[in-house]
């Protein structure tokens, strides 16, 4: 066979082993193991687009308890956001998310808000302004921000291939 790369020398790793578990162990020695998730993450979870308020979340929790159905995680899709802008809350629906989450967690439920990487391209929106200042967004071939259309409308996307962009996003 022939192996090549468009730029530079390719890296090729051939791993052999008598069984699939042994191949997996050898691959893990090369690339590292996946950390074990928290125990609650292995349980039953509920996620559906359309839960948009603390009231919806608390009602969902009550119904699962009423039917004695064990659920460890309740996921919020993008409805909780202010106009689908990441790292925001629609305050008319979630006036105090920390209080609601603390109550649910005290009762054994974990709330997981979905965060999409599409950042609304809107000057004056803190996340966009900070990402732009950090030059954290993907660029098109002309060197301008790559703009795509997702839930909040015209959006830009963090360049997760760059360590500095990942560090900015993590803040």
């Amino acid at each position: 066979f022939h192996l090549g790369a468009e730029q530079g020398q390719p890296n090729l790793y051939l791993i052999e082993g008598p069984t699939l578990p042994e191949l997996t162990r050898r691959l893990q020695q090369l690339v590292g193991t996946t950390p074990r998730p928290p125990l609650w993450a292995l349980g039953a979870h509920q996620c559906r687009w359309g839960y948009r308020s603390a009231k919806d979340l608390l009602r969902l929790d009550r119904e699962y308890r009423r039917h004695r159905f064990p659920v460890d995680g309740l996921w919020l899709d993008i409805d909780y956001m202010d106009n689908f802008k990441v790292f925001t809350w629609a305050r008319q629906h979630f006036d105090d998310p920390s209080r609601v989450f603390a109550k649910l967690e005290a009762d054994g439920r974990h709330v997981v808000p979905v965060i999409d990487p599409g950042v609304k391209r809107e000057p004056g929106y803190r996340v966009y302004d900070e990402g732009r200042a950090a030059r954290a967004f993907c660029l098109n071939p002309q060197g301008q921000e790559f703009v795509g259309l997702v839930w909040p409308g015209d959006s830009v996307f963090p360049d997760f291939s760059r360590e500095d962009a990942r560090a900015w996003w993590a803040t």
Side-chain angles (χ1 to χ4, degrees):
F1 70 92
H2 174 76
L3 175 70
E6 290 186 19
Q7 298 179 5
Q9 291 285 353
N11 292 323
L12 172 66
Y13 298 91
L14 298 174
I15 304 171
E16 62 143 347
T19 65
L20 185 56
E22 182 58 28
L23 283 174
T24 302
R25 276 189 285 285
R26 291 176 183 184
L27 176 64
Q28 289 174 335
Q29 287 174 338
L30 180 65
V31 300
T33 58
T34 302
R36 186 172 29 180
L39 187 59
W40 68 268
L42 301 175
H45 290 243
Q46 169 62 36
C47 180
R48 181 180 71 85
W49 184 74
Y51 304 133
R52 62 181 280 159
S53 69
K55 183 178 172 182
D56 289 342
L57 201 56
L58 294 170
R59 180 186 50 74
L60 184 65
D61 176 62
R62 277 193 313 275
E63 287 299 308
Y64 274 114
R65 289 186 191 289
R66 184 170 74 85
H67 293 288
R68 296 187 189 141
F69 192 91
V71 172
D72 295 298
L74 301 174
W75 290 62
L76 293 172
D77 206 329
I78 60 176
D79 300 296
Y80 73 89
M81 298 176 190
D82 176 23
N83 293 311
F84 307 123
K85 293 189 284 189
V86 293
F87 304 115
T88 67
W89 289 95
R91 290 297 178 177
Q92 69 271 31
H93 301 294
F94 277 95
D95 62 337
D96 189 359
S98 297
R99 179 184 52 79
V100 174
F101 293 179
K103 181 207 177 307
L104 289 167
E105 194 160 341
D107 292 337
R109 303 269 200 246
H110 293 265
V111 179
V112 183
V114 169
I115 300 174
D116 291 336
V119 175
K120 184 171 180 65
R121 187 177 188 222
E122 180 180 281
Y125 165 39
R126 180 188 57 81
V127 177
Y128 173 71
D129 291 344
E130 289 177 4
R132 188 163 192 199
R135 300 189 54 78
F137 300 125
C138 293
L139 303 177
N140 63 23
Q142 293 74 36
Q144 304 298 313
E145 291 174 346
F146 170 80
V147 179
L149 185 61
V150 291
W151 297 109
D154 284 351
S155 299
V156 293
F157 306 88
D159 184 350
F160 291 118
S161 69
R162 294 184 15 231
E163 186 176 340
D164 61 327
R166 292 191 304 270
W168 165 77
W169 183 260
T171 63

